[in-house]
Structure formats: structure tokens, C-alpha cells
Amino acid sequence: MFMTKISRRTFIGGSAAMVALLSTPEWAMALITQPYPRLKIANIKDLKVGEPVSFNYPDEQSPAILIKLGERAIGGVGPEGDIVAYSSLCTHKGCPVSYSKKRFVCACHYSMFDPAKNGQTFQGHASEWLPQIILRFEPRTGNIYAEGVEGLIWGRIRNILKSSKISKL
Ligand code: FES
């Protein structure tokens, strides 16, 4: 019978790596293992401060909102760093949020989220921040693309579903 001798150090190192892997949250695993689609959302010339643009990302079942805030924001893109996007499903129970007066508001139980601060929740039942869509601005064309999601979209165990389909631009 063939046997491989494993040193104590190799065994402990391998065990530690396995424990770390198994304790990684599901959404973090999804970020590590699943590629996000690249989606053109809008062109900067079509955006106006305070006027939201709706789109779906990373698939057609996942509504999101792009907004030009008119002030620099965490994760903001564009010349002023003020363009951000978020999943529009409230992290409490999945009701749609809407943009109003520099915040996202959920009409179901009035949770509020700050679009300038990573979607931080600051009022209401929601304890999780609104998932932020990772954006890329292309200065040459003015196009704005979605390239990922930071945080877990409400109601999902992973952001990228096996059956996900979206038309990439
Ligand atoms: S579903 Fe949004 S606060 Fe309850």
C-alpha cells in the first residue's frame, strides 16, 4: 500500500487553510469564485444630479439604481467622484427603495440608506447596508459600467445565480 508522509507543519498549515475556507461567508465565496458581467448602464452626458437611473444587475431579476449625487461619495466614479449605484432591494425584507433627498428610502418600514457612504443604513429595521454596485467610468467615451457588487443582494445566498442572464454591452 502506497502512503505519503505529511509533515506536522504541512498538516497544520493545510488544516488552517481548510478552516479559513469553510468559515468564509457564502457571499464572500461568491465574490471570489464567480465572475460578474460587465454592463453598460449609462453615459455621463445623460445624467443629471439627483435624477436616478434604473437598471438590473447582475441579472434581470436584480433591480438597481444609478445616481449622480452632486457631491463626492465613497466608491463614486466620474470626474467629480459622485456617481454611485446600489441594489434597490431593501436589506430588511426586500421591498424596493427609492432615491429622495440624498438618501435611499424603503417605503415598507422606512429604513434609510446613505448613498454617499457605501449604502450605510442609518434609520429603520434594516441592519445590513445596501449592496453597492462597483462602477467603472471610461473617460474616453463617458460610459459608465457595472462590474461587480459589494455585499449580498437581499434574498440570495450568492449574487451570481447559475441561471443568471443579462445582456452585456
Ligand atoms: S423592507 Fe425595507 S424596511 Fe422593511
Side-chain angles (χ1 to χ4, degrees):
M1 185 172 159
F2 179 76
M3 289 186 65
T4 304
K5 191 169 181 183
I6 300 173
S7 74
R8 183 183 160 97
R9 180 179 292 183
T10 303
F11 177 77
I12 291 171
S15 300
M18 183 59 75
V19 168
L21 188 65
L22 292 174
S23 62
T24 304
E26 184 86 22
W27 67 265
M29 288 296 291
L31 288 178
I32 294 166
T33 58
Q34 299 285 342
Y36 280 93
R38 186 170 198 249
L39 174 75
K40 180 187 167 189
I41 306 168
N43 189 281
I44 195 165
K45 69 176 171 21
D46 299 323
L47 300 181
K48 293 192 174 76
V49 172
E51 289 188 13
V53 174
S54 296
F55 65 104
N56 296 312
Y57 188 82
D59 53 61
E60 299 293 351
Q61 291 76 44
S62 184
I65 295 174
L66 177 88
I67 186 79
K68 179 173 172 58
L69 294 173
E71 64 183 53
R72 191 163 289 279
I74 297 173
V77 300
E80 281 86 42
D82 65 340
I83 300 167
V84 291
Y86 289 88
S87 164
S88 61
L89 297 179
C90 179
T91 56
H92 178 223
K93 291 194 173 179
C95 288
V97 298
S98 57
Y99 179 79
S100 173
K101 298 177 184 166
K102 301 195 175 190
R103 62 205 172 151
F104 285 108
V105 182
C106 176
C108 287
H109 313 105
Y110 304 106
S111 284
M112 295 187 193
F113 306 88
D114 189 337
K117 294 181 181 166
N118 268 141
Q120 180 179 8
T121 176
F122 62 93
Q123 180 173 306
H125 296 316
S127 56
E128 298 288 324
W129 297 12
L130 215 50
Q132 185 164 12
I133 311 292
I134 299 166
L135 300 177
R136 179 175 301 279
F137 173 64
E138 201 173 79
R140 188 177 54 82
T141 60
N143 289 335
I144 298 158
Y145 297 88
E147 290 191 338
V149 180
E150 204 175 87
L152 185 61
I153 296 166
W154 184 85
R156 297 188 171 200
I157 58 169
R158 59 177 60 91
N159 287 341
I160 302 289
L161 305 176
K162 283 197 174 105
S163 60
S164 293
K165 284 207 173 22
I166 197 159
S167 49
K168 297 180 196 176
L169 298 173

